[in-house]
Amino acid sequence: NAEYMGGHTRLSEGYSILSRDVERIQSIGKNCVIGQAGFHGDNQFLYKVLQTRAKIFEFDHGQALDCHSTASLLSNLLYSRRFFPILSYCLVAGVEQDSQGQWKGRVYGYDVVGSFESRPCEATGEAGTLMLPLLDNQVEFKNLGPNAERVPLTRERAVGLIQDVLQAATERDIMTGDFGQIVLIDKDGVQQRRIPLRRD
Amino acid sequence: MAMFRGQYDNDVTTWSPQGRLHQVEYAMEAVNQGSAVVGLHSATHAVLVALKRSQDSLSEHQKKIYQLDDHVGFAFAGLTADAPIIYHYLRNECLDFRYANNESMPAPHMVRDLCRRAQRRTQRYGGRPYGVGLLLAGADHAGVSLYQTCPSGIEYACKAMAIGARSQSARTYLERHIGELGGASLPDLVQHGLRALKDTLPAEAELTNRNVSIAIVGVDMGFSVYEGDRVDSYLAELKAETGGTPSTETSRERAKTPESMEVEAS
């Protein structure tokens, strides 16, 4: 009934750092966020377009976009540029009510042309491949032996895990570091936290 | 009301020998056929109050107030079908402006844009002017503003205004109370608007939560529309003022103006 997303705030070009303070995770509507890796210019453009479309939806329908509708909309936006892609590796995360009124958390991962899928857990970006195996193991309990401890995912555990994977990625990937932006989404809205990461 | 002007009123691009464009004037007459809307503002808030019409007891009352963006919206009087066209155009202008400039589109800018468009339609063969007048209320860094637009393409910045059927009574009320508006509190401002609107009612009619729409915008308050149950408290306050004599001018005017054809305009 809650979702968590973590990102880092370093913007780099080759071996140079352009900024240590770029927020990659932004809100769409009340219960949904989008995190973007890839080309920063396209990320900004895509976010603005998505925001505008979300506003149009609100005016036309008198209510805000649901998480799954945002996810669908993003997929269509990306595919509409199939032959000149928006180089944005997106993750959409949020909570929404199912048909019984229960709040469920969802994460959607994308490729640059809009293919998307809802998964329990997803990571993207340069260091995505460094983080994903650890998340597979600790969130989805993949590849654990029969006697290994399967720690249930509480809020504290989830936030701790995100901090750990960000730190781990920072250690090994030169493009990751500076600050970690951690976002918690539940039915009451979106909260943000920042943690320091290695600056080298 | 007979307004036969002879041979010079067939299309909008024909002048009359008196130097008038009759089609534009006829378009302005269409605004008078719509039900009344009242707009007024203080230093901090702008209020729009509208009287909604319904065709018959089976139909919902027709929408009169449109929100354009977080900070601006309008109420219209006149040809109902023209209002959503203008709404979609202005809404897109607001979205584009916000996308390009990262801030809300100021109301004066929007009104000027719309009026330029409206004027073009008075100078083109084969088309017709818009059949609606708007009262547009908005808030931006410069404060709140209220504008009236006309099918002729003229824009008027207003402290308070009323347009539509029997709106003269509302304008008279507003003129009488203009001094109180600038410093009025928000509840008082809404009450002034409702009292002005009440003066435009035909005989035997009253303001109910089905036929009244209220919209409020302020420097610290986004544009919000109140309808149905949400206007109850405002109407209750209006009713609570049992004092207050209806002006004799109003009763005379009510007796004079026949109930106009309500099919097309609202």
Side-chain angles (χ1 to χ4, degrees):
Chain A
N1 61 354
E3 273 302 325
Y4 310 91
M5 190 188 279
H8 73 113
T9 64
R10 175 180 292 173
L11 185 66
S12 38
E13 192 175 308
Y15 290 115
S16 303
I17 296 177
L18 293 176
S19 168
R20 296 190 189 275
D21 192 11
V22 164
E23 300 220 319
R24 286 188 167 75
I25 307 175
Q26 291 162 297
S27 292
I28 294 277
K30 189 183 169 225
N31 298 110
C32 199
V33 298
I34 177 171
Q36 299 173 295
F39 172 36
H40 189 60
D42 273 353
N43 289 347
Q44 289 184 317
F45 164 76
L46 181 62
Y47 179 67
K48 275 183 120 164
V49 172
L50 197 56
Q51 251 193 327
T52 304
R53 293 294 297 266
K55 200 172 208 144
I56 292 175
F57 183 97
E58 267 194 61
F59 277 138
D60 283 343
H61 300 98
Q63 62 189 46
L65 271 173
D66 277 344
C67 195
H68 69 277
S69 304
T70 310
S72 245
L73 177 59
L74 179 59
S75 170
N76 285 313
L77 281 174
L78 290 169
Y79 196 80
S80 72
R81 290 276 299 261
R82 168 70 178 80
F83 301 110
F84 184 3
I86 297 166
L87 295 178
S88 195
Y89 290 91
C90 300
L91 284 183
V92 167
V95 291
E96 58 185 0
Q97 286 182 294
D98 65 14
S99 47
Q100 275 85 40
Q102 296 276 61
W103 286 90
K104 290 259 146 71
R106 306 272 253 166
V107 173
Y108 300 86
Y110 293 77
D111 70 5
V112 289
V113 284
S115 162
F116 77 117
E117 186 190 20
S118 171
R119 299 209 64 253
C121 190
E122 190 59 87
T124 190
E126 279 297 319
T129 46
L130 290 173
M131 300 189 280
L132 209 43
L134 181 53
L135 291 171
D136 283 348
N137 186 266
Q138 292 296 308
V139 175
E140 294 186 71
F141 308 125
K142 286 184 178 170
N143 307 311
L144 278 173
N147 297 320
E149 197 191 353
R150 285 157 169 76
V151 182
L153 202 63
T154 61
R155 167 166 290 219
E156 295 71 38
R157 171 107 180 126
V159 173
L161 256 179
I162 292 184
Q163 292 187 4
D164 289 345
V165 293
L166 284 174
Q167 298 282 11
T170 306
E171 290 291 329
R172 291 291 185 177
D173 179 35
I174 55 168
M175 300 176 91
T176 306
D178 296 327
F179 293 102
Q181 183 191 11
I182 302 177
V183 174
L184 303 89
I185 313 121
D186 60 22
K187 63 175 167 52
D188 300 317
V190 171
Q191 289 168 50
Q192 294 214 26
R193 288 180 209 179
R194 242 186 202 214
I195 57 164
L197 297 174
R198 285 185 65 159
R199 292 163 75 81
D200 62 359
Chain B
M1 187 166 133
M3 269 204 333
F4 177 63
R5 301 282 157 80
Q7 326 119 278
Y8 306 105
D9 66 352
N10 280 325
D11 45 63
V12 78
T13 52
T14 304
W15 290 99
S16 81
Q18 289 78 33
R20 291 154 71 170
L21 292 171
H22 289 311
Q23 279 294 312
V24 176
E25 291 173 26
Y26 296 165
M28 280 150 64
E29 190 54 34
V31 176
N32 294 335
Q33 302 295 327
S35 68
V37 295
V38 172
L40 59 170
H41 73 92
S42 67
T44 52
H45 293 88
V47 169
L48 296 171
V49 189
L51 186 64
K52 298 190 283 188
R53 265 187 203 148
S54 78
Q55 297 243 107
D56 47 54
S57 55
L58 292 175
S59 309
E60 290 277 333
H61 287 72
Q62 197 66 249
K63 181 171 164 140
K64 290 282 270 185
I65 301 184
Y66 285 88
Q67 176 168 2
L68 293 169
D69 200 339
D70 301 332
H71 65 296
V72 66
F74 69 81
F76 77 95
L79 219 59
T80 321
D82 282 0
I85 305 294
I86 293 179
Y87 163 66
H88 281 287
Y89 170 71
L90 284 179
R91 192 180 79 172
N92 277 326
E93 291 297 291
C94 282
L95 288 168
D96 284 347
F97 189 95
R98 198 180 271 279
Y99 180 92
N101 300 293
N102 215 28
E103 65 173 35
S104 53
M105 187 172 193
H109 194 149
M110 203 181 307
V111 170
R112 208 164 303 140
D113 195 334
L114 178 65
C115 286
R116 198 177 305 137
R117 246 174 108 84
Q119 188 281 337
R120 225 173 279 143
R121 298 166 77 108
T122 69
Q123 213 174 353
R124 187 156 290 175
Y125 182 73
R128 63 163 176 83
Y130 288 126
V132 293
L134 308 187
L135 290 182
L136 195 137
D140 52 42
H141 59 268
V144 289
S145 50
L146 178 69
Y147 286 89
Q148 178 197 358
T149 73
C150 207
S152 57
I154 307 179
E155 57 175 269
Y156 305 91
C158 308
K159 292 196 193 93
M161 181 48 70
I163 57 175
R166 291 175 291 276
S167 55
Q168 182 54 57
S169 322
R171 284 197 292 277
T172 309
Y173 174 92
L174 292 170
E175 275 165 33
R176 206 173 294 137
H177 294 267
I178 192 80
E180 298 162 45
L181 298 181
S185 67
L186 180 57
D188 285 347
L189 203 62
V190 177
Q191 288 305 311
H192 277 304
L194 285 172
R195 277 181 239 131
L197 190 69
K198 192 165 168 209
D199 281 352
T200 71
L201 285 171
E204 306 296 326
E206 16 172 71
L207 298 182
T208 69
N209 68 5
R210 284 191 333 278
N211 68 6
V212 169
S213 263
I214 302 175
I216 305 175
V217 65
V219 284
D220 293 322
M221 180 180 173
F223 192 94
S224 336
V225 184
Y226 300 87
E227 293 187 312
D229 295 340
R230 296 175 76 203
V231 304
D232 281 345
S233 58
Y234 296 109
L235 290 178
E237 205 185 315
L238 181 71
K239 211 169 207 158
E241 308 163 345
T242 46
T245 41
S247 69
T248 48
E249 218 174 336
T250 317
S251 334
R252 245 189 281 129
E253 230 178 272
R254 268 193 224 148
K256 202 166 54 178
T257 320
E259 196 57 27
S260 45
M261 179 178 79
E262 297 198 18
V263 177
E264 288 172 30
S266 72

